[in-house]
Amino acid sequence: METTSVPVLPLNNGLWQGCYNGRESSLHQLAPYVGKLKSGMVNVLLETFTRRGDLVLDPFCGSGVVPLESILMGRATIASDLSPYAYVVTLGKLSAPSSRSEALHAAEDVLAQVDELSPRIHLASIPEWVIQFFHPRTLQETLAAFQILKKREDYFLTACLLGILHHVRPGFLSYPASHLTPYLRTRMYPPESQPQLYSYRDLRSRLLAKVERAYRRPDLDEDWGGTPYKVFQVNAMLLPIKAESIDAIISSPPYFGALDYARDNRLRLWFLGVPDWRNLDKALTANQKVYIPQMTQCVAEMNRVLRPGKYCVLVLGDVYRDGTTRNTAEVIAGIAHDVSHGQLVAEGVYSDEIPDIRRSRRRTRTTKIEKILVLKKRPRRTQLPSPSFPTAVAEERLAYALA
Ligand SMILES: C[S@@+](CC[C@H](N)C(=O)[O-])C[C@H]1O[C@@H](n2cnc3c(N)ncnc32)[C@H](O)[C@@H]1O
């Protein structure tokens, strides 16, 4: 695969650095995710490449930063990811109740059912690697809650629960463990000298506090719930979306298998009914051997569903492995040109420094430079300029895209 040299564009990343996290909707912090985008960056990309009422697609939605920011900004959205964890967290954010009191009421309801069910939960069939993270009574309550929430199809509270599953801090359910990836920190926090960290942690106070935190900066005005959305759990190589029905694609595809989306979320995935994360990592475009052929198919799908004259904006990182640097943005630009027969044109690449060090596979280092590849699908010669659609019409556009 040839790479394409793409002009580097100047970028004012001051627009999303610094204090942006203090202003974002706290729903963005519902649950952690490796490779999560900065909501401030997504806000600027949506502002630049879309209009109110547009239909925005993110086929690798992860924790749902693009779809959530889209509906907060009045853009209809279709989100998809192959990981059940990504699916639940994204749907949890988009389906959040419109008020704190409604969310707390639902949580109280669930907790009353947990009180009844949890003493009857048997731990004999639970794998040892899961048992070691929790006090037995906390684990009974957590298992009961997942069971009840599944039955109620309550994705918001399920996402809240996933968000407090493991961490070092006392507001979380596990014994001291890492937040992003599940490993216990018994050496740093020995049970002999800090036994209080290994005692029972009640679900009730922690879940209610989590719901409160989710509504700290709600940003949910009276329009919340009015902007249409759809979330899928499908492979981006085959999207259940009509051709030329999407106004903009904003997404962050995997970069040459640099991050382990399934392994890093294995404990959360287990509670969602995925017994072995390895099968999911095999299915994701998480392996450098399959990266080029699978991304070729994904880019072909993105080109198929995008309307002519519209933008596909991809946030990508370079990957250093075994002494070689892969300029992912240039590779994807080359793929886009080839699979679209020149219809997807790379207008340029913006560069942004990633401030935090992200965990990645051994022998792999993701660069601290994140690149934003801007692809534009050539307009049809006879195309009329498209009007700005009010949100009411976005509902019809979503229905059309999914029909
Ligand atoms: C860089 S992450 C996206 C992060 C997301 N933008 C966020 O802010 O949380 C890439 C995502 O691609 C998903 N993924 C990898 N291969 C996929 C495939 N073939 N089809 C669908 N999703 C895939 C992974 O599960 C992961 O969530």
Side-chain angles (χ1 to χ4, degrees):
M1 170 61 57
E2 294 251 324
T3 63
T4 299
S5 185
V6 186
V8 176
L9 305 170
L11 176 80
N12 176 10
N13 65 3
L15 288 169
W16 59 75
Q17 302 289 0
C19 63
Y20 194 86
N21 280 351
R23 285 186 281 130
E24 72 177 9
S25 163
S26 34
L27 280 179
H28 277 301
Q29 290 144 27
L30 217 51
Y33 208 84
V34 280
K36 184 178 169 189
L37 290 174
K38 286 170 278 190
S39 60
M41 173 198 281
V42 171
N43 183 288
V44 172
L45 296 179
L46 285 164
E47 200 62 71
T48 310
F49 296 104
T50 71
R51 289 181 294 190
R52 222 179 156 74
D54 272 358
L55 178 55
V56 177
L57 167 69
D58 182 353
F60 302 97
C61 66
S63 61
V65 177
V66 173
L68 175 60
E69 203 59 24
S70 295
I71 62 165
L72 288 171
M73 293 173 69
R75 280 86 168 138
T77 186
I78 301 178
S80 181
D81 199 293
L82 194 49
S83 161
Y85 176 50
Y87 173 77
V88 169
V89 172
T90 300
L91 197 45
K93 288 177 179 178
L94 302 187
S95 63
S98 53
S99 71
R100 174 195 315 241
S101 59
E102 206 184 313
L104 286 171
H105 187 78
E108 285 287 3
D109 226 35
V110 169
L111 288 164
Q113 290 183 37
V114 168
D115 287 344
E116 281 200 5
L117 179 63
S118 61
R120 289 183 273 127
I121 296 277
H122 296 292
L123 302 182
S125 60
I126 307 300
E128 193 48 43
W129 74 270
V130 175
I131 287 198
Q132 64 174 347
F133 280 89
F134 303 94
H135 185 280
R137 202 170 142 204
T138 307
L139 183 54
Q140 280 177 306
E141 291 180 3
T142 307
L143 287 163
F146 272 106
Q147 211 170 299
I148 293 158
L149 290 169
K150 188 174 177 192
K151 218 169 173 182
R152 292 169 65 115
E153 296 185 16
D154 188 327
Y155 291 96
F156 169 71
L157 286 177
T158 306
C160 287
L161 194 53
L162 290 164
I164 55 168
L165 204 56
H166 54 88
H167 200 335
V168 169
R169 300 217 300 257
F172 289 71
L173 296 164
S174 73
Y175 296 147
S178 165
H179 189 29
L180 265 184
T181 61
Y183 58 88
L184 284 162
R185 310 197 64 189
T186 42
R187 241 190 260 163
M188 178 87 96
Y189 303 96
E192 312 77 59
S193 57
Q194 303 197 52
Q196 76 286 359
L197 294 177
Y198 295 84
S199 55
Y200 163 62
R201 296 172 182 230
D202 75 277
L203 173 67
R204 163 169 287 278
S205 65
R206 289 170 176 81
L207 185 61
L208 293 176
K210 175 69 185 175
V211 172
E212 291 276 1
R213 287 201 295 280
Y215 286 85
R216 209 173 26 195
R217 271 186 312 278
D219 268 355
L220 307 180
D221 51 30
E222 65 250 26
D223 287 348
W224 178 255
T227 307
Y229 64 83
K230 177 77 188 169
V231 185
F232 291 111
Q233 189 193 318
V234 296
N235 198 315
M237 293 193 283
L238 195 61
L239 297 169
I241 298 172
K242 234 189 216 156
E244 301 195 350
S245 61
I246 298 294
D247 295 308
I249 297 171
I250 298 186
S251 194
S252 174
Y255 342 137
F256 274 108
L259 298 172
D260 295 305
Y261 301 104
R263 192 188 70 175
D264 290 352
N265 292 310
R266 59 192 179 274
L267 191 56
R268 300 182 184 103
L269 284 164
W270 184 85
F271 280 94
L272 293 176
V274 180
D276 190 350
W277 55 271
R278 289 175 194 85
N279 292 335
L280 177 61
D281 254 344
K282 272 184 217 145
L284 293 171
T285 306
N287 170 341
Q288 61 166 337
K289 285 194 198 106
V290 299
Y291 189 78
I292 299 288
Q294 291 195 359
M295 278 309 292
T296 302
Q297 226 166 307
C298 295
V299 175
E301 271 300 81
M302 290 193 257
N303 178 52
R304 181 183 69 78
V305 301
L306 189 63
R307 294 175 60 203
K310 301 293 181 177
Y311 286 97
C312 171
V313 181
L314 304 177
V315 182
L316 299 153
D318 286 352
V319 174
Y320 298 115
R321 180 181 284 144
D322 300 334
T324 316
T325 302
R326 290 185 170 89
N327 183 332
T328 318
E330 290 201 349
V331 172
I332 299 290
I335 290 176
H337 177 271
D338 292 354
V339 294
S340 70
H341 306 289
Q343 288 304 296
L344 273 180
V345 180
E347 286 206 338
V349 174
Y350 296 97
S351 288
D352 180 33
E353 288 197 15
I354 300 174
D356 46 4
I357 306 293
R358 291 184 184 167
R359 225 197 48 73
S360 61
R361 277 194 188 143
R362 249 180 303 153
R363 297 189 300 117
T364 305
R365 266 190 315 129
T366 46
T367 165
K368 287 188 192 140
I369 305 289
E370 205 160 46
K371 289 182 176 163
I372 304 167
L373 172 64
V374 179
L375 300 163
K376 186 172 184 184
K377 188 163 173 178
R378 281 187 200 283
R380 283 220 190 82
R381 256 182 244 143
T382 53
Q383 204 182 23
L384 297 170
S386 54
S388 184
F389 293 99
T391 308
V393 179
E395 261 168 48
E396 285 164 28
R397 319 214 38 224
L398 183 75
Y400 170 80
L402 301 176

